[in-house]
């Protein structure tokens, strides 16, 4: 397991009207930036196994706690967490370091953000890698409306939107228990249970499966969320329909080199139409659940580094989507 003391020390970077808590390694590799974007309910620390491997491979590794997380700013307005703001933070982060473009890697919600960033600011992205969450096709109905029709009012995406503040309070009350219960692997299969899944996880006295990380590693996440609460991070979910509208006029095709890493036991399904929207994608499946880079760190590193090496061999064109 990883010793939290070995993770880089953070720096507060002013960007886009907020401050981001940023962890970096490999600054000596200036000119080869790679930005790692965490998901929910995560932290920059979720990339602890990738940071040293990428730095050793010659990359300047930049890992922000995105707005709403850790020591980064937590704006009060829900709309301050839409895809324009989240992608704008990453563009401003590139500006701060003096980079025209970079490779972006995202897991879970971070994957949604880097897909959206690539659509909204294609000239700032020279390659995009996503873990767990494939490109989300923009259908005829707003995303939350569509989920509510198919999955019901208790589905946690819908619940976060229709009952604001309810889940936040429960998760805040049971922070350590919730995070202990959510960061699990090799969970026994079972039928869907009634109720709101995240609230049930927060209240469950006994976790299922095996822990993804050591108690010392988990303590980093617990400490961060005990300090911030969950509302800022949940506000990302409360912008899904707004994001659907903001992306209405955008070319929906990702034209940059792309890598998609699935967890074969993840509850998030594979996309059957990924290549229609991401024609240059390479797909990798790993024998794990949702927390891919933490469950299978070595295999994740190998997949990302091999993809980066293949791109370097053929000579990727910066700003390919411009």
């Amino acid at each position: 397991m990883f010793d939290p003391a070995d993770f880089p020390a953070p720096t507060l970077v002013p960007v886009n009207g907020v401050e981001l808590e940023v962890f970096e390694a490999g600054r000596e590799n200036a000119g080869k930036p790679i930005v790692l974007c965490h998901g929910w309910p995560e932290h920059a620390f979720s990339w602890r196994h990738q940071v040293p491997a990428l730095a050793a491979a010659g990359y300047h590794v930049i890992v922000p706690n995105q707005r709403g997380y850790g020591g980064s700013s937590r704006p009060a307005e829900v709309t301050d967490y839409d895809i324009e703001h989240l992608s704008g933070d990453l563009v401003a982060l590139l500006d701060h370091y003096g980079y025209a473009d970079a490779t972006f890697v995202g897991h879970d919600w971070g994957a949604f953000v880097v897909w959206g960033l690539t659509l909204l600011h294609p000239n700032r992205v020279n390659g995009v890698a996503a873990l767990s969450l494939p490109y989300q096709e923009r259908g005829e109905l707003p995303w939350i409306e569509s989920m509510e029709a198919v999955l019901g009012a208790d589905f946690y995406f819908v619940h976060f939107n229709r009952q604001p503040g309810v889940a936040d309070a429960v998760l805040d009350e049971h922070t350590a228990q919730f995070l202990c219960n959510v960061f699990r692997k090799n969970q026994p299969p079972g039928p869907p249970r009634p109720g709101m899944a995240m609230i049930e996880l927060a209240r469950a006295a006994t976790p299922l499966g095996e822990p993804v990380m050591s108690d010392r590693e988990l303590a980093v996440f617990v400490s961060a969320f005990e300090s911030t609460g969950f509302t800022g991070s949940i506000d990302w979910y409360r912008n899904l329909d707004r994001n659907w509208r903001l992306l209405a006029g955008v070319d929906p095709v990702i034209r940059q080199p792309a890598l998609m890493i699935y967890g074969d036991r993840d509850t998030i399904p594979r996309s059957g139409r990924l290549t229609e929207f991401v024609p240059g994608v390479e797909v990798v499946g790993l024998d794990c659940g949702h927390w891919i880079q933490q469950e299978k760190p070595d295999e994740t590193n190998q997949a990302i580094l091999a993809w980066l090496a293949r791109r370097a061999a053929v000579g990727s064109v910066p700003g390919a989507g411009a």
Side-chain angles (χ1 to χ4, degrees):
M1 291 293 182
F2 190 93
D3 185 344
D6 292 334
F7 200 62
T11 302
L12 284 179
V13 177
V15 296
N16 197 27
V18 297
E19 285 187 323
L20 296 186
E21 182 182 32
V22 179
F23 305 80
E24 61 175 314
R27 185 178 287 193
E28 67 275 11
N29 304 318
K32 291 182 66 178
I34 188 165
V35 183
L36 311 181
C37 300
H38 63 78
W40 184 86
E42 292 185 292
H43 185 279
F45 188 68
S46 65
W47 297 107
R48 61 197 175 278
H49 301 292
Q50 286 67 53
V51 171
L54 289 165
Y59 289 87
H60 179 192
V61 189
I62 302 167
V63 195
N65 265 329
Q66 298 180 83
R67 61 169 66 196
Y69 288 83
S72 296
S73 298
R74 300 188 304 279
E77 294 295 324
V78 172
T79 53
D80 284 338
Y81 297 88
D82 66 23
I83 191 61
E84 283 191 346
H85 286 87
L86 296 172
S87 62
D89 291 351
L90 298 178
V91 167
L93 194 58
L94 291 189
D95 292 342
H96 170 80
Y97 287 105
Y99 290 128
D101 55 31
T103 300
F104 287 85
V105 183
H107 171 251
D108 181 78
W109 251 110
F112 184 93
V113 172
V114 299
W115 289 128
L117 168 70
T118 309
L119 294 176
L120 291 168
H121 303 279
N123 61 316
R124 307 307 298 267
V125 181
N126 60 47
V128 57
L131 283 66
S132 184
L133 186 75
Y135 177 96
Q136 296 299 291
E137 180 180 349
R138 187 183 177 279
E140 294 183 1
L141 290 176
W143 281 308
I144 295 299
E145 189 176 330
S146 177
M147 290 177 189
E148 187 169 24
V150 175
L151 299 169
D154 277 339
F155 183 60
Y156 70 99
F157 280 69
V158 179
H159 190 287
F160 285 156
N161 279 269
R162 303 298 188 234
Q163 300 189 52
V166 173
D168 315 34
V170 176
L171 270 56
D172 288 351
E173 183 182 354
H174 302 284
T175 297
Q177 183 167 279
F178 169 65
L179 293 171
C180 176
N181 290 345
V182 80
F183 286 116
R184 311 296 291 186
K185 62 183 179 179
N186 300 327
Q187 297 180 42
R193 287 183 279 184
M196 198 281 214
M198 298 304 160
I199 290 177
E200 295 305 311
L201 273 175
R203 290 173 170 163
T206 305
L208 300 176
E210 304 165 22
V212 166
M213 65 190 84
S214 70
D215 289 345
R216 286 190 67 198
E217 291 169 307
L218 182 63
V220 175
F221 296 83
V222 173
S223 175
F225 280 101
E226 284 181 343
S227 174
T228 64
F230 284 89
T231 296
S233 65
I234 292 175
D235 280 345
W236 290 35
Y237 290 87
R238 297 181 175 127
N239 279 282
L240 267 173
D241 283 356
R242 180 177 172 84
N243 294 342
W244 181 85
R245 295 180 179 92
L246 289 170
L247 294 170
V250 177
D251 177 0
V253 178
I254 300 284
R255 306 188 188 279
Q256 286 80 352
L259 173 68
M260 180 67 227
I261 303 178
Y262 290 108
D264 291 338
R265 288 183 273 163
D266 198 346
T267 56
I268 296 177
R270 292 192 176 212
S271 168
R273 301 180 61 192
L274 184 62
T275 55
E276 294 182 36
F277 295 94
V278 194
V281 70
E282 297 181 27
V283 177
V284 173
L286 299 180
D287 181 23
C288 62
H290 181 67
W291 313 109
I292 296 172
Q293 76 271 32
Q294 299 183 83
E295 290 185 49
K296 295 289 185 180
D298 293 340
E299 293 87 341
T300 299
N301 293 348
Q302 290 166 12
I304 293 172
L305 289 169
W307 172 69
L308 291 168
R310 285 191 294 273
R311 285 180 52 207
V314 300
S316 64
V317 180

